[in-house]
Amino acid sequence: MDSLITVWNALPFIVGGSLVTIATVCIALGMGLVFGVPLAVGQVYGSPVVQRLVGLYVWFFRGVPILVLLFLFFGLFVGLGLPVEPFLVSCVVLGLTSTAYQSQIFRGAIQSLPQGQLKAARALGMSDGAAIRSIILPQALRLSIPGWANEFSILLKDSAICYVLGTQEIMARTNFVAARTHEHLALFAAAGLLYCLITMVGLYLLRRLENKTHIPGYSTGMN
Amino acid sequence: MMQNTENVLRIHEISKNLGGKAILKSCSLDVARGELKVLIGPSGAGKSTLLQCINCLIQPDSGEIWLNGQQLRRHDKKELCAFRTQVGMIFQDFNLFDHLTAEANVAVALRKVKGMNRHDALQRAREELGRVGLARRAALYPAQLSGGQKQRVAIARALAMDPTVILLDEPTSALDPELVGEVLAVIRDLARGGMTMVMATHQMDFARALATEILFMEQGVIIERGTPDALLAAGAGTRTQAFFTRLQDMGDESAS
Amino acid sequence: MIDTAFYMQEVLPALNKGLLISLALIVPAGIIGFVCGVALGVIRVFGGALPRKLGDWYTSLIRGVPLAVQLMMVYYALPHCGIYFDPYGAALLSFILCSAAYHSEYIRGALLSISQGQVRAAQALGMTMAQTVLWIIVPQAARRALPGCGNEIIYLIKYSSLAYLVTCMELMGEGKVLASDTFRYMEVFLAVGAYYLAMVTVATWILRWLEQHYAIPGFGSR
Ligand SMILES: Nc1ncnc2c1ncn2[C@@H]1O[C@H](COP(=O)(O)OP(=O)(O)O)[C@@H](O)[C@H]1O
Ligand SMILES: [Mg+2]
């Protein structure tokens, strides 16, 4: 009973942290989208050097744990004399990592399109750039939505690690209250449920997005 | 009741309900050694269900199944497995094991069910593949074979078990038209070699030429049976003949 | 520019010590997690209605909650129920519970991808259900699940760093202590990152070799 009261009292504080969590995830997702698409295009259509460089980037950010990257970038920010704002560092680390993962989602989607699409666009006299922008990407991005949904739920879970820098998100606040009240069980159970809830809402919204952008005969297998 | 020992396979009053609907209603069928029984009828008539009830891939609700004068106790798992080794089955969509080469597809049951050693099983498999004209494709995987070749591997796989009778469920329906011939040729050779078979098919010319008896099925009932000559004679006025004519018209239409 | 002495005398000895603990987490968690994942996946496909439902719930729960929260539960919360773990045990248990759920997802998908027709064909040849599972279903499902499960092992290697959160002194923990002592975060964590990169890269090679070695023409590229 006591633990329930503790949780109840701490709930506004912890739920407030979900705003920080959601902000982090949204910024990182957006960053991954903005940088991931050009990386994917570069890896598929770029020169060998470009392909190499993208491959190197992906290899690094998919091979090093988030936790290590957080401290590494913490050190980097200090070394460069930048303001060490935990929220900022978290967003940068998650964003760069997500860029690597998202580029691979988009690359897979681009490569799954039939070869004939690009040829047909060229045959109509489009430049390669125009063909990629107006023919390839609109299809590839649609095909990427399920992979994107998956990336969202992974990012959400990864964002919990950012509390080590002191970002005031769900996990940090739960830890803070738990350390004072010693109600770890109830508090972390509540935090876990909160994460589940955010995942479900996020996936629901993405499914809506998928239905909205649905084209007859085009299946992404998410439903 | 005395069993006619000439009857290799005897199906007696098999019924089956699925999803609250009677799919098979008291179907009976006697097959003597060396006979080729052909099941025809519109799609959805219950041909596949009947064939799969014969080797209990679909357990019939009631009825008897006899093989070589012995009634199958179809809920005895061990007896059922032994029964199935004697009853070969060819499926419409081949159902080759995707992870095994052609020869391994044929050999796997020889090894695991009949307990043959690897060497003997593979040797036997190659012989059977040779019989269906695929000796040179033995090391290829299903994905590397054409539809006709896949179906011939499936036939070799069934033959390797030395079955008493083979059930064929529309073996050429999933094939491109130009590949139908090679499979029918193999089945024709089997029929001429005296293999006992029950086959569902829409290949009417084949049925007319080779069937010892044609059974016409509709809505889970065998409504007509007789020799091809009797059922398909000009002016016989049978359902079989009407069906035959309709199939032929459709064939002519798509040809023109 | 690069402080070789610092690396040789302080960073590498500390990290090597941590690496051993990391491996002591990753290897058993990988093996046991996979075995449990296979069991869970089989239950979720072939089990009775209730075990299947429980398995599905367990999997969605684990997949919906961050591993960091799970670790906190095992290390800080279970003691309230009278169950105690040392940091290593807590980390190992969390990793097993977590990767079993993720593995089961791939196993389940692989099992479901085997066509019903092949099962029928096997039975028509007189195989028992056990023989069918052993010789027809498992060899195919294993190949289908290999890429996903392999990925899961890669994730395990990276997320083993979270053991530091419950004060288990593995690679990450050793690195953090050293970085805090010397306040040379960049240098230390570049080295830590290199260790993880090396582990992940080697694991990737092994998995790629396995995939190619067991590849079948036209199989898996559904
Ligand atoms: N599992 C099932 N549940 C309900 N109805 C089924 C099932 N399987 C087949 N049927 C029905 O049984 C009928 C006969 O099917 P089938 O034996 O495949 O016919 P055929 O092979 O002659 O085309 C069809 O109407 C089909 O819809
Ligand atoms: Mg049929």
Side-chain angles (χ1 to χ4, degrees), chain B residues 48 92 169-170:
Chain B
S48 301
Q92 185 172 341
D169 187 3
E170 300 196 32

Side-chain angles (χ1 to χ4, degrees), chain C residues 157-172:
Chain C
I157 294 175
K158 290 200 299 168
Y159 284 98
S160 72
S161 59
L162 293 193
Y164 152 76
L165 299 184
V166 292
T167 69
C168 179
M169 286 303 282
E170 36 66 86
L171 193 46
M172 178 69 213

Side-chain angles (χ1 to χ4, degrees), chain B residues 52 55 57 81 84-85 87 89 91 95-99 108-109 112-113 141 143-144 157 161, chain C residues 115 117-118 120-128 131 135-136 139-140 143-144 216-219:
Chain B
Q52 298 198 49
N55 62 358
L57 285 180
C81 284
R84 284 173 176 162
T85 62
V87 179
M89 180 137 207
F91 300 86
N95 291 338
L96 293 187
F97 304 129
D98 289 332
H99 65 305
V108 66
K112 306 303 174 195
V113 179
Y141 285 92
Q144 299 168 308
R157 179 171 73 179
M161 302 297 283
Chain C
S115 73
Q118 290 185 57
R120 292 202 161 186
Q123 302 202 303
L125 287 165
M127 288 196 192
T128 62
Q131 285 172 324
W135 303 113
I136 306 301
Q140 297 188 47
R143 286 184 174 86
R144 289 255 157 87
I216 287 174
F219 184 85

Side-chain angles (χ1 to χ4, degrees), chain A:
Chain A
M1 207 55 227
D2 285 354
S3 46
L4 283 185
I5 292 170
T6 311
V7 171
W8 180 251
N9 288 335
L11 212 51
F13 180 60
I14 293 176
V15 170
S18 59
L19 289 182
V20 182
T21 294
I22 293 170
T24 313
V25 171
C26 287
I27 291 173
L29 261 181
M31 203 170 143
L33 179 67
V34 170
F35 296 126
V37 171
L39 284 196
V41 171
Q43 204 174 13
V44 178
Y45 300 110
S47 68
V49 178
V50 172
Q51 293 181 6
R52 257 297 153 66
L53 287 176
V54 175
L56 207 63
Y57 178 89
V58 172
W59 170 72
F60 181 81
F61 279 97
R62 293 210 305 182
V64 180
I66 303 279
L67 196 47
V68 176
L69 287 173
L70 284 171
F71 286 122
L72 185 60
F73 276 74
F74 172 78
L76 185 70
F77 272 53
V78 173
L80 293 177
L82 293 170
V84 187
E85 167 58 43
F87 179 71
L88 186 63
V89 179
S90 304
C91 288
V92 167
V93 165
L94 288 185
L96 292 177
T97 309
S98 189
T99 300
Y101 279 99
Q102 288 193 45
S103 75
Q104 297 311 290
I105 297 172
F106 299 135
R107 184 184 66 128
I110 291 175
Q111 286 175 336
S112 74
L113 294 177
Q115 293 279 319
Q117 300 277 320
L118 193 58
K119 283 200 188 121
R122 280 180 183 147
L124 290 170
M126 284 193 195
S127 70
D128 279 9
I132 290 170
R133 258 196 319 275
S134 56
I135 305 294
I136 302 295
L137 284 183
Q139 299 185 54
L141 288 181
R142 248 178 224 118
L143 286 179
S144 301
I145 293 178
W148 221 64
N150 198 32
E151 177 63 16
F152 157 75
S153 73
I154 291 175
L155 262 183
L156 179 64
K157 285 178 273 177
D158 281 349
S159 73
I161 303 173
C162 299
Y163 88 94
V164 293
L165 293 186
T167 315
Q168 281 303 303
E169 38 71 82
I170 299 174
M171 189 69 186
R173 295 182 181 206
T174 312
N175 243 337
F176 179 85
V177 181
R180 268 155 198 73
T181 61
H182 297 285
E183 291 290 356
H184 291 88
L185 187 60
L187 284 167
F188 278 108
L193 285 180
L194 192 52
Y195 277 107
C196 278
L197 197 70
I198 300 176
T199 308
M200 279 178 342
V201 172
L203 292 183
Y204 168 76
L205 290 178
L206 281 168
R207 199 164 295 148
R208 287 261 307 255
L209 174 70
E210 198 200 14
N211 288 340
K212 204 161 251 170
T213 60
H214 175 77
I215 297 176
Y218 240 80
S219 165
T220 55
M222 192 160 127
N223 292 315

